Amino acid sequence: MDQKVSIIPLGGTPDVTKNMYLYEYKNEIFIVDCGLGFADETMLGVELLLPDISYLKTTNKKIVGMAITHGHEDHMGGLPYILPELPDFPIYATPLTAEFANEKLKEFGVSKRVQKVNFDGGEIKIGSFAISFIRVTHSVPDTSNIFIKTPVGNFYHGSDFKFDFNPYDGKKTEFKKISQAGNEGVLCLLSDCLRAEKIGKTPSESKISIAFENEMEKCEGKFIITTYSSNIARLNQIINASRKFGRKVCFVGRSVIKNKQIAQDIGYMRLDKGMEVSVEDLKRHKDSNLVLIVAGSQGQENSALSRIVNDDFKEIKITPKDTIIFSSDPIPGNEISINSLLDSIAKRGAKTIHSQVSSDFHVSGHGATDDLALMMDLTHPKKVMPIGGNYRHMVAYKNLAKKQGFLEKDIIVVENGQEIVFAKDSTYLGRKIPVRNVYVDQISGEEVDSFVIRDRQKLATDGVIIVMCEIDSSNGQLVESPNIVSRGISAQEAKEVSRNLTKEIRSTLSRKKQKVTDWMYIRRAIGQVCEKYLFRNLRKRPLVLPVVIEV
Ligand SMILES: [Zn+2]
């Protein structure tokens, strides 16, 4: 029989986030990444999306292992939700990625762990696959691409990267390994394409330092910076500029404090003794001696920045002498909340610098056309396949690949769920696996401290009920009885609760039989009906987590 390997993207094409790719050989499946998706502006509130893993739960094939490319939420944030649903298999990642992932798993009370692999660790055998991690530059340290050998041919999994020839942390792209992969032969290059529309080269992370220093020197009050907390090189540039001007540094907000701690623990960040000031001790220092690194660059409600700017943070008040820098780009969908923050800052008379005013304080972690073309050159694959972008980015990548000499038939542009089969002498589209949107209400995530506390209180006193409903999108009705899981409720009660909630949900939904246009409404309706029933009958207010699966 003809030998073949398949790739199936479960998420990431064409939706940028919730990256998850399956490589199948015979009855083995090897998975790359397990990301979260973020709600867009049509999905109000704090909520998340997950790749649909129904196929993985029903297939007879065996998952032999998983590798995580880097520590961004859209590549590893799905782990605590998805791992408990799947059988055990080994999961590998480079050091910082593994730290971030394991911290998250611990936080969610999931006992599975990611194994740490060093870049010089060589090849790892996973079933019939052999993989190696290749260091690339991006916007979080220890980002890797993965070279995957299979009995049919080799694949270069080039998720998020740019080629920064002068990375701030000195950790350079392993060009030698990339070209070695090219020499061994690459059947298909899967490549980041998010910035394929941008002509030229993405600038180096190192260029930010000078901008920080120039502004810090001029600032007579507090120097406040908000950025992505996982961008450790960015945090280090802020710390080094602070050191130069003798300013103390204060970390504000859960995510920056957590990531600072992890970075320090594994030696990726150095703070001199006495350089760090806690929020409580800020009052002992003059404003002009302070740098505040604050979480909430996307304008998230309840984030430290939002609370400070809205005068809801006891220890930190904005004064007209302060400078506030957004060292970030708005993630599409967050513009409105960021604009409202900028307005509130303007009211307080402080200076703000953000991406609409200056491009000196942020660079992207994704490669532009020159970076992407160089990757094609180095790996010289037979086929290319853009991943991790919207459809228009995939098309831009396709046009770039054509310019680089690839024929139309060798450029694979597919959407989630589409299997691509690589046989010895041919490549063709295989099965189309149905993938649906899976929404999850966020129970504990960045910048939602008050939610976390409220949820934990509910969990501690009244338990938790997870209600999983498959809803037919054509009529808004249950496809089958919901799957109800409860904790902290007696077995006797749970049985009865499960039976009655099913009845209640069914009757509520039956009153609104129509094509679903608003999934948020459905989730809220299910949540409310459960909460009402539980309070009426048990006098309890457990944490209710409605999970709606669109069919
Ligand atoms: Zn990334």
Side-chain angles (χ1 to χ4, degrees):
M1 207 184 87
D2 198 14
Q3 295 245 69
K4 54 188 190 189
V5 174
S6 299
I7 295 179
I8 306 167
L10 288 186
T13 55
D15 48 13
V16 187
T17 57
K18 62 182 169 69
N19 286 278
M20 192 173 202
Y21 303 87
L22 313 183
Y23 287 80
E24 284 193 357
Y25 173 72
K26 289 188 175 163
N27 71 335
E28 297 177 1
I29 300 177
F30 165 63
I31 306 173
V32 177
D33 285 340
C34 185
L36 270 183
F38 308 111
D40 65 31
E41 67 272 34
T42 63
M43 312 164 197
L44 301 169
V46 276
E47 58 186 86
L48 304 166
L49 299 165
L50 290 174
D52 181 2
I53 55 160
S54 316
Y55 171 68
L56 287 175
K57 290 201 291 191
T58 50
T59 179
N60 297 326
K61 302 189 180 198
K62 181 173 186 254
I63 303 172
V64 288
M66 181 190 271
I68 308 289
T69 57
H70 65 288
H72 279 157
E73 289 289 313
D74 54 336
H75 290 260
M76 58 121 204
L79 288 170
Y81 302 93
I82 285 176
L83 290 186
E85 303 261 314
L86 297 175
D88 283 343
F89 47 80
I91 310 164
Y92 304 95
T94 56
L96 185 70
T97 314
E99 288 286 344
F100 278 167
N102 288 336
E103 190 60 37
K104 216 171 161 62
L105 290 169
K106 266 184 239 165
E107 204 178 298
F108 277 75
V110 177
S111 61
K112 297 181 184 180
R113 290 290 176 268
V114 176
Q115 298 181 36
K116 221 175 274 184
V117 179
N118 288 317
F119 281 99
D120 54 10
E123 233 169 60
I124 303 166
K125 281 275 198 202
I126 301 175
S128 305
F129 302 89
I131 66 157
S132 40
F133 287 87
I134 299 178
R135 186 192 289 283
V136 290
T137 43
H138 182 40
S139 45
V140 57
D142 288 358
T143 294
S144 65
N145 284 172
I146 300 175
F147 185 48
I148 303 163
K149 290 187 188 173
T150 80
V152 177
N154 306 328
F155 295 84
Y156 188 93
H157 194 99
S159 52
D160 303 7
F161 73 92
K162 69 173 179 184
F163 288 132
D164 188 340
F165 297 119
N166 181 26
Y168 189 74
D169 58 10
K171 291 173 177 163
K172 295 190 175 177
T173 296
E174 294 179 310
F175 284 105
K176 204 171 152 191
K177 279 202 210 163
I178 300 177
S179 56
Q180 263 166 12
N183 290 341
E184 290 191 46
V186 172
L187 197 50
C188 184
L189 159 68
L190 288 77
S191 172
D192 184 359
C193 68
L194 193 62
R195 286 190 100 223
E197 292 170 318
K198 192 86 188 161
I199 308 290
K201 218 195 142 313
T202 301
S204 168
E205 174 68 32
S206 302
K207 78 158 208 173
I208 311 271
S209 279
I210 209 77
F212 281 154
E213 288 176 12
N214 289 342
E215 269 314 310
M216 212 180 270
E217 195 169 18
K218 282 188 266 179
C219 173
E220 292 173 16
K222 295 188 287 297
F223 193 75
I224 300 174
I225 301 182
T226 182
T227 188
Y228 309 104
S229 58
S230 60
N231 193 334
I232 306 299
R234 190 72 53 86
L235 302 185
N236 280 327
Q237 296 193 76
I238 301 167
I239 291 166
N240 288 338
S242 312
R243 186 179 285 125
K244 191 165 170 184
F245 294 101
R247 287 186 185 241
K248 307 261 181 207
V249 179
C250 176
F251 295 84
V252 191
R254 207 169 71 91
S255 61
V256 289
I257 292 171
K258 192 178 74 183
N259 288 354
K260 173 213 64 167
Q261 196 56 53
I262 292 173
Q264 275 184 303
D265 290 349
I266 64 171
Y268 285 13
M269 184 186 285
R270 193 175 61 83
L271 281 158
D272 311 331
K273 212 171 174 315
M275 192 178 179
E276 191 184 347
V277 183
S278 68
V279 167
E280 294 73 30
D281 285 341
L282 282 173
K283 53 181 179 299
R284 297 173 203 265
H285 300 273
K286 278 211 301 232
D287 276 7
S288 58
N289 284 338
L290 291 172
V291 169
L292 274 53
I293 302 176
V294 181
S297 67
Q298 296 301 316
Q300 302 95 317
E301 213 186 318
N302 280 317
S303 70
L305 183 65
S306 166
R307 284 167 49 216
I308 292 170
V309 168
N310 292 304
D311 206 16
D312 189 22
F313 205 106
K314 200 171 86 218
E315 296 87 352
I316 305 170
K317 302 291 172 202
I318 303 275
T319 78
K321 285 187 173 170
D322 296 343
T323 296
I324 302 173
I325 294 187
F326 285 73
S327 180
S328 57
D329 260 341
I331 294 171
N334 294 339
E335 293 89 349
I336 295 171
S337 32
I338 294 174
N339 283 339
S340 104
L341 273 190
L342 292 173
D343 260 0
S344 305
I345 299 170
K347 271 188 209 154
R348 312 210 170 272
K351 176 177 180 181
T352 41
I353 304 179
H354 50 93
S355 62
Q356 294 160 46
V357 177
S358 164
S359 58
D360 293 345
F361 295 89
H362 178 64
V363 291
S364 170
H366 298 268
T369 52
D370 287 359
D371 307 68
L372 300 176
L374 178 56
M375 182 60 97
M376 294 182 213
D377 272 350
L378 290 169
T379 53
H380 50 90
K382 287 207 174 109
K383 314 248 172 212
V384 288
M385 173 176 163
I387 56 171
N390 289 132
Y391 213 89
R392 68 169 210 275
H393 305 125
M394 290 160 64
V395 169
Y397 186 91
K398 180 176 178 172
N399 293 334
L400 174 69
K402 277 190 199 158
K403 273 191 209 146
Q404 301 301 309
F406 284 89
L407 300 175
E408 178 104 25
K409 70 170 178 62
D410 293 326
I411 307 167
I412 304 166
V413 176
V414 295
E415 296 191 37
N416 292 335
Q418 177 62 59
E419 177 189 39
I420 310 116
V421 183
F422 298 85
K424 271 269 187 279
D425 301 309
S426 63
T427 301
Y428 52 93
L429 298 183
R431 296 164 292 171
K432 177 93 177 115
I433 286 161
V435 284
R436 309 162 291 183
N437 278 330
V438 180
Y439 302 93
V440 177
D441 279 345
Q442 189 171 11
I443 49 165
S444 129
E446 296 199 331
E447 326 309 343
V448 284
D449 303 23
S450 65
F451 278 80
V452 175
I453 291 162
R454 197 193 65 203
D455 289 349
R456 283 187 183 157
Q457 283 166 343
K458 283 190 176 186
L459 283 168
T461 54
D462 290 336
V464 58
I465 295 195
I466 302 167
V467 187
M468 279 170 279
C469 300
E470 292 201 6
I471 305 280
D472 185 340
S473 60
S474 68
N475 62 12
Q477 303 301 302
L478 284 171
V479 174
E480 53 185 73
S481 292
N483 193 354
I484 298 173
V485 182
S486 58
R487 289 288 181 276
I489 289 164
S490 76
Q492 186 69 31
E493 273 175 343
K495 234 187 197 164
E496 202 192 334
V497 162
S498 180
R499 200 171 45 236
N500 291 331
L501 283 185
T502 303
K503 247 189 262 166
E504 295 273 351
I505 293 168
R506 206 179 285 276
S507 94
T508 302
L509 293 178
S510 71
R511 269 175 257 141
K512 215 176 169 188
K513 218 171 200 170
Q514 60 186 53
K515 188 172 172 358
V516 181
T517 49
D518 186 354
W519 288 98
M520 183 77 182
Y521 168 82
I522 299 266
R523 270 198 319 289
R524 213 182 279 142
I526 294 172
Q528 278 167 358
V529 103
C530 296
E531 279 169 5
K532 240 190 231 156
Y533 168 84
L534 292 160
F535 188 69
R536 212 172 46 227
N537 294 282
L538 302 180
R539 294 278 139 198
K540 275 184 180 167
R541 291 191 190 280
L543 179 67
V544 177
L545 290 179
V547 176
V548 171
I549 300 166
E550 159 188 344
V551 180

